[in-house]
Amino acid sequence: MILKEFFFMQKSDRKVLLLLLSVAAVALVVAFLVDSSPMSSEQANADTTVFDRRPTAQRAVRTQYYKEEEKKAERFAFDPNTADSTQLLRLGLQPWQVRNIYKYRAAGGIYRKKEDFARLYGLTAKQYRELEPYIHISSDYRPASELFEKPARQTDAEDSARTLRYPVKLKQGETIDLSMADTTLLRRVPGIGSYFARRIKEYGECLGGYVNTAQLQEIEDFPVDALGYFTLSNASIRRLNINELSQEELRRHPYISYSQARAIVDYRRKHGHIDNLDQLRLLPDFTAEKIGRLRPYVTY
C-alpha cells in the first residue's frame, strides 16, 4: 500500500511524462539514422585532407606514398682527421656516422692509419673496401716517435752503439785491467751486467782505488766466477792522512768504522802525531788484520 502511494501520479502528470518519453525516443531514432548514413565525398575529403583555402583548380593532387630519390655516393680523396661534414656525407656516410666522427675527433681521437677508420660504428666491410683507396692520412698525424726511427740499414756508428748496449762477453782466458776498466768494459766480463759494473766503480771510488782483485768479493752478491777475468796493474791509490782528517771524514772510508774513527781522533788528542798504524795495535778496535787491510790507504 505504501509502495503504491509512492508511485501514484495524477493524470495530467502522467500525460506530461509520456510526452517527454516519446520525444526522447524520436530523438534517439533520428540520431541513429544520421550516424549510419553514407558520408559524402566532400566530407570524406574534408576529414582526410589538410584544410586548403585555395580554389580547387589550384590544389595539387595529394600523393599518399612517395619514394625519395637516393643520393649517389661520390668517391674522392679525404683525410678522416680533417674532412668536414659535407665531404663525409658526399662519401655516402650516414648523418649519425658523421656525428660520431666529429665526437671522436672532439675527444682527442686521431686516425693514424687507414685501419683506424674501419672501427667507425655502422661501417660495413663493403663500404670500407670502397673507401680504403681514397683514405689519405696526413703525415702530421703520425706518432712523433716515428721521426726518430732508425733506417733499416745500420751504420758503423749504430753497430758500435748496439755493441755498447749488448757488449760481446770475454772468452775464457781473456782478462781486463781492473784499474783501467770503465763500466762499458766491465760489462764484457761474463756475469757482470750494468748493476755490478756500476757497483765495482762506486766501491773502487769509496776505497780510493783497488789494491787487489779479491776486494771485489767485498761487494754484496758479487759473482765469484767473474774474478778470473780481472787483473790489476799500475794501481793508483788515493790515501788518507789520518793526522789531519776529522772523525767524520775518516769514517767515510769502507775500512774505518765509526768506533775506529773516534779511536784515531782520541789517540791523536792524547798522544799527538801518529807515525805508524802499529801505534794503534793496543786499541781494541784495531786488530792486526784490520790494520793490514787499512795500511795501503793511509799516509802520515
Side-chain angles (χ1 to χ4, degrees):
M1 185 68 178
I2 296 175
L3 184 64
K4 184 176 180 181
E5 291 178 356
F6 181 79
F7 287 102
F8 176 75
M9 299 179 65
Q10 296 182 1
K11 186 176 181 180
S12 59
D13 294 336
R14 287 197 296 271
K15 289 181 179 181
V16 173
L17 181 60
L18 291 174
L19 179 60
L20 292 175
L21 292 174
S22 300
V23 171
V26 171
L28 289 173
V29 172
V30 171
F32 177 77
L33 294 175
V34 170
D35 290 340
S36 60
S37 62
M39 186 180 294
S40 64
S41 60
E42 292 182 357
Q43 289 175 331
N45 291 335
D47 292 339
T48 57
T49 59
V50 180
F51 181 73
D52 193 348
R53 295 185 177 182
R54 295 180 298 172
T56 305
Q58 297 180 5
R59 296 177 187 173
V61 179
R62 182 184 180 189
T63 56
Q64 188 173 1
Y65 301 100
Y66 65 94
K67 182 178 180 181
E68 185 178 357
E69 184 180 355
E70 296 182 358
K71 296 181 180 180
K72 185 177 180 181
E74 302 179 34
R75 294 292 176 258
F76 51 86
F78 73 100
D79 187 339
N81 291 301
T82 57
D84 57 26
S85 58
T86 303
Q87 293 174 316
L88 295 172
L89 290 172
R90 285 170 55 197
L91 291 167
L93 298 178
Q94 298 299 321
W96 55 270
Q97 290 177 310
V98 175
R99 287 195 297 271
N100 287 341
I101 293 175
Y102 269 70
K103 290 179 181 178
Y104 177 73
R105 297 192 316 208
I110 296 176
Y111 298 97
R112 300 187 186 278
K113 52 184 182 295
K114 293 182 179 181
E115 293 78 4
D116 293 343
F117 190 71
R119 295 198 299 266
L120 177 64
Y121 181 75
L123 188 68
T124 65
K126 179 181 178 182
Q127 289 176 311
Y128 176 73
R129 284 195 295 268
E130 293 177 354
L131 292 173
E132 183 181 14
Y134 301 95
I135 300 175
H136 297 282
I137 298 176
S138 173
S139 59
D140 294 338
Y141 295 96
R142 291 186 302 136
S145 59
E146 293 183 5
L147 298 175
F148 306 99
E149 287 184 351
K150 298 178 181 179
R153 190 175 77 75
Q154 291 185 337
T155 63
D156 294 338
E158 290 168 342
D159 289 337
S160 177
R162 186 175 183 275
T163 301
L164 292 176
R165 186 175 182 184
Y166 305 104
V168 178
K169 296 296 185 180
L170 297 177
K171 297 179 181 179
Q172 191 67 33
E174 294 180 333
T175 59
I176 61 173
D177 191 336
L178 181 58
S179 62
M180 304 295 293
D182 56 10
T183 54
T184 302
L185 187 56
L186 290 171
R187 289 172 57 199
R188 294 191 58 195
V189 176
I192 302 298
S194 299
Y195 170 76
F196 280 115
R198 185 173 65 253
R199 292 289 291 116
I200 290 171
K201 296 299 293 184
E202 290 175 352
Y203 191 62
E205 184 65 24
C206 291
L207 287 172
Y210 291 99
V211 294
N212 194 314
T213 58
Q215 290 177 287
L216 294 175
Q217 298 182 75
E218 298 170 7
I219 299 174
E220 186 177 4
D221 297 327
F222 184 84
V224 180
D225 295 340
L227 285 176
Y229 294 92
F230 291 98
T231 59
L232 188 60
S233 62
N234 300 323
S236 177
I237 305 302
R238 186 177 66 253
R239 299 177 183 273
L240 307 174
N241 191 324
I242 61 173
N243 288 303
E244 296 180 357
L245 297 179
S246 65
Q247 179 177 326
E248 288 298 321
E249 291 172 327
L250 288 170
R251 66 185 299 266
R252 292 174 187 169
H253 195 277
Y255 290 168
I256 301 178
S257 65
Y258 173 80
S259 60
Q260 289 174 323
R262 185 175 58 184
I264 292 173
V265 174
D266 290 343
Y267 186 90
R268 289 187 331 212
R269 186 177 65 254
K270 295 177 181 178
H271 303 284
H273 193 275
I274 300 175
D275 298 319
N276 194 311
L277 281 182
D278 292 332
Q279 295 176 236
L280 305 176
R281 282 182 178 275
L282 297 178
L283 300 177
D285 291 319
F286 288 92
T287 63
E289 180 183 357
K290 292 181 180 178
I291 290 177
R293 188 174 62 168
L294 182 59
R295 195 182 300 277
Y297 298 98
V298 172
T299 185
Y300 310 100

